[in-house]
């Protein structure tokens, strides 16, 4: 049981480390292709998507109760 827990923890750690390495590499690769205007647009679209999900979740919670 100990060795299974060890391998599970190791797998989670390695997976998280690889994910963060990929994110850092991607951010570095595209850093100079994004200007401030594009980042503002991306932020607005992301905020809109989050708001849509929040509204859908709230409405779903109200009608399922």
């Amino acid at each position: 049981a100990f060795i299974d827990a060890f391998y599970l923890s190791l797998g989670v750690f390695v997976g998280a480390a690889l994910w963060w390495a990929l994110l850092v590499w991607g951010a570095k690769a595209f850093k100079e292709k994004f200007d401030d205007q594009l980042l503002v647009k991306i932020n607005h679209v992301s905020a809109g998507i989050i708001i849509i999900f929040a509204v859908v979740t709230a409405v779903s919670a109200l009608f399922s109760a």
Side-chain angles (χ1 to χ4, degrees):
F2 174 77
I3 196 74
D4 291 336
F6 172 77
Y7 282 134
L8 177 65
S9 299
L10 183 65
V12 169
F13 175 77
V14 170
L18 288 174
W19 172 246
W20 278 106
L22 179 68
L23 287 177
V24 169
W25 174 82
K28 186 177 177 182
F30 291 107
K31 177 181 174 184
E32 293 165 13
K33 295 184 181 187
F34 292 148
D35 60 351
D36 289 341
Q37 247 181 347
L38 180 59
L39 288 176
V40 169
K41 289 179 184 177
I42 290 171
N43 286 338
H44 287 159
V45 169
S46 299
I49 291 170
I50 291 169
I51 290 169
I52 289 169
F53 278 128
V55 169
V56 168
T57 302
V59 169
S60 174
L62 286 174
F63 286 113
S64 69

